[in-house]
Amino acid sequence: MAINSEEFKRRRQALMARMGDGIAVIPTSPEAIRNRDSHYPYRFDSYFYYLTGFTEPEALLVVIAGQQPKTILFCRDKDIEREIWDGFRFGPDAAKTEFALDEAYSISQIDTLLPQLLANQPTLFYSLGADAIWDAKVTQWLNTVKMQARTGVSAPDTMIDIRQYVDAMRLIKSPFEIDLMRRSANIAAQAHNRAMQKAAPGKMEYEIEAEFLHEFYRHGAQAPAYTSIVAGGANACTLHYNANNCVLNDGDLLLIDAGCELHGYASDITRAFPVNGKFSGPQKTLYEIVLAAQLAAIEAAKPGNHWNAPHEAALDVLAQGFIDEKLCHGSKEAVIETASYRQFYMHRTGHWLGLDVHDAGEYKSKAGDWAILEAGNALTVEPGCYVRPAENVPEHFWNIGIRIEDDVLITSQGNEVLTQAAIKSVADIETYMQGT
Ligand code: GLY
Ligand code: MN
Ligand code: MN
């Protein structure tokens, strides 16, 4: 992807405006050893990336707000010898230009320069507690500044968690981000459609997982956004099932929760469909209830509504459906009030979506009020129904697990379902699966 340095510069300027005065220190993630000398695939820190677009490890951003605003990147040196082994690295000089920063230095200079930068700043904005190694370094730099007190130098006397400032910014997606999220969503939608084509009795769950990886990578996604759930039959009733190692049985549903990450942006889709291409009666009954709940929730995802409105809309439909099918008993109000629906629907209806699959951003104000949805918010809408065998449960529903999850962008007029290309209705699924 071409670096859109102006977009990232705008974000840093917006952060400065929120800070008012002081210095922000934002490190990226460390590399992580998988075993012996093999690493996990590297993933940058979302806050650092949001403000830089810089994807190399061993880097840190400094943002100074106030009278003399300045942005400084610390990164790995250019090193031709290392690049023969590990690949390209920008080095400070090229990074400064390419990423539109005011200054850039070698990460090896950090212990010398950070105390100088912290000196006489009123406030330090930092994510204390996020990483013990960086916490120790920041403490060491602050102590170095404090030791200069007799020369008239002062250390910041206030520390504010930088994340709350960036979280508020990340909640409203820019057109640049929306474009990436649309593309990420579309790749994942095509992967779900491909899975419907490939699924068949006798195949293994991991064979279908492989179809997702195929579709993600061939469209340029860098990684799955989270570990894919490919759950046939009763496995779908384990919410975080990801062993993905069972055979797909004729007559079972297959629930797949899988999304990709494109230039940092996650998609997050769940579909449930019959392995053999035809819903049984009980499967169809429950599927239609969950789908109606999801459509009602999507309808409630619009500007001015509060965060919980989609969840409440989904619950309303699910509770009535559960009563109609003798899964729950009593009035709809009582089922919701006593939460007896939780035997079959035990999670919430969505979360913010963006650089993190469960994205940054508050759901409630400090006063305890739900966040109000506004244009630019991105969230998932994902009601479900999971029926484990139990004496009080009609047997024809046992071991059916269904979740239907789409990614929704709030717009000024209502919303846009970013994942609309993923086939969803009973008729469309059956036609698609039987026609291919
Ligand atoms: N795939 C994670 C979630 O649905 O929340
Ligand atoms: Mn989700
Ligand atoms: Mn999901």
Side-chain angles (χ1 to χ4, degrees):
M1 181 181 65
I3 301 157
N4 186 343
S5 60
E6 284 308 308
E7 165 90 9
F8 293 95
K9 188 173 177 178
R10 271 196 297 280
R11 294 180 195 168
R12 293 191 292 272
Q13 285 168 342
L15 176 63
M16 281 178 188
R18 284 172 187 259
M19 289 164 61
D21 205 358
I23 179 169
V25 172
I26 304 145
T28 195
S29 301
E31 292 179 285
I33 299 280
R34 184 173 184 274
N35 56 317
R36 200 177 280 264
D37 56 357
S38 293
H39 287 80
Y40 284 104
Y42 182 68
R43 171 53 156 77
F44 41 77
D45 174 78
S46 295
Y47 291 99
F48 172 85
Y49 177 76
Y50 180 78
L51 293 166
T52 61
F54 194 72
T55 58
E56 292 180 23
E58 297 187 87
L60 176 142
L61 174 70
V62 172
V63 175
I64 299 175
Q67 296 293 324
Q68 292 170 307
K70 194 157 63 170
T71 56
I72 307 166
L73 180 74
F74 290 85
C75 66
R76 298 185 303 193
D77 284 314
K78 197 86 189 131
D79 182 338
I80 299 303
E81 184 64 29
R82 277 312 324 159
E83 289 179 54
I84 290 170
W85 292 86
D86 301 331
F88 175 81
R89 43 175 83 175
F90 277 95
D93 291 343
K96 172 170 141 22
T97 312
E98 294 291 327
F99 293 85
L101 295 143
D102 295 318
E103 297 175 13
Y105 300 102
S106 164
I107 191 80
S108 66
Q109 290 180 271
I110 203 162
D111 290 330
T112 311
L113 294 182
L114 252 294
Q116 295 173 20
L117 293 167
L118 288 165
N120 298 322
Q121 289 290 345
T123 305
L124 169 61
F125 297 85
Y126 173 69
S127 55
L128 186 69
D131 183 294
I133 293 172
W134 283 114
D135 287 357
K137 279 189 175 291
V138 169
T139 305
Q140 178 202 322
W141 300 332
L142 287 172
N143 285 338
T144 304
V145 182
K146 283 176 188 158
M147 278 174 359
Q148 298 163 18
R150 274 177 285 165
T151 66
V153 172
S154 65
D157 53 15
T158 315
M159 193 186 291
I160 294 178
D161 194 330
I162 181 73
R163 287 171 290 193
Q164 60 191 300
Y165 289 73
V166 186
D167 287 353
M169 294 166 59
R170 284 174 56 182
L171 265 180
I172 307 292
K173 271 63 181 179
S174 70
F176 175 77
E177 293 181 286
I178 290 168
D179 176 58
L180 285 174
M181 290 192 72
R182 275 199 195 104
R183 288 162 54 195
S184 179
N186 205 42
I187 293 170
Q190 299 309 333
H192 278 268
N193 294 346
R194 180 183 177 91
M196 285 181 201
Q197 284 186 326
K198 300 288 179 182
K203 282 198 176 177
M204 302 299 287
E205 291 167 341
Y206 54 70
E207 292 181 73
I208 306 305
E209 183 180 10
E211 300 295 344
F212 275 83
L213 297 177
H214 171 95
E215 200 69 9
F216 291 167
Y217 290 128
R218 85 188 187 99
H219 285 112
Q222 286 76 28
Y226 51 91
T227 307
S228 304
I229 295 170
V230 184
N235 292 338
C237 296
T238 300
L239 294 180
H240 291 162
Y241 175 82
N242 59 22
N244 301 352
N245 59 3
C246 292
V247 70
L248 300 175
N249 293 314
D250 199 5
D252 278 352
L253 287 183
L254 173 57
L255 179 152
I256 303 177
D257 184 345
C260 63
E261 186 175 295
L262 182 72
H263 300 301
Y265 286 85
S267 42
D268 181 7
I269 304 180
T270 309
R271 290 290 184 267
F273 57 88
V275 168
N276 63 14
K278 177 103 182 99
F279 284 85
S280 71
Q283 288 167 352
K284 181 166 183 280
T285 299
L286 292 188
Y287 190 90
E288 296 286 21
I289 291 169
V290 176
L291 182 56
Q294 202 230 14
L295 295 177
I298 291 174
E299 182 74 27
K302 58 185 180 188
N305 272 4
H306 61 71
W307 165 260
N308 212 38
H311 182 60
E312 289 169 1
L315 272 189
D316 201 66
V317 177
L318 289 175
Q320 188 59 56
F322 293 168
I323 293 165
D324 293 345
E325 296 307 321
K326 307 202 167 17
L327 290 163
C328 288
H329 306 280
S331 68
K332 183 172 72 178
E333 292 69 26
V335 166
I336 293 172
E337 179 69 25
T338 62
S340 62
Y341 65 84
R342 285 184 62 85
Q343 184 177 355
F344 310 106
Y345 181 46
M346 58 298 278
H347 59 78
R348 294 187 53 83
T349 303
H351 48 82
W352 300 127
L353 182 73
L355 285 171
D356 298 312
V357 65
H358 294 174
D359 205 31
E362 298 291 349
Y363 293 93
K364 272 189 176 174
S365 70
K366 288 201 166 53
D369 301 319
W370 290 112
I372 302 298
L373 297 173
E374 40 179 327
N377 289 157
L379 63 150
T380 65
V381 178
E382 50 178 305
C385 168
Y386 315 90
V387 187
R388 287 173 172 265
E391 272 183 13
N392 66 343
V393 174
E395 199 169 337
H396 52 274
F397 291 136
W398 285 9
N399 293 319
I400 295 177
I402 295 165
R403 177 165 62 260
I404 307 175
E405 174 173 29
D406 280 301
D407 302 345
V408 175
L409 172 74
I410 305 295
T411 62
S412 57
Q413 302 302 315
N415 66 52
E416 174 186 337
V417 179
L418 302 175
T419 45
Q420 61 196 343
I423 293 165
K424 186 159 74 169
S425 74
V426 166
D428 286 351
I429 290 173
E430 290 190 342
T431 305
Y432 189 70
M433 291 188 72
Q434 290 165 20
T436 52

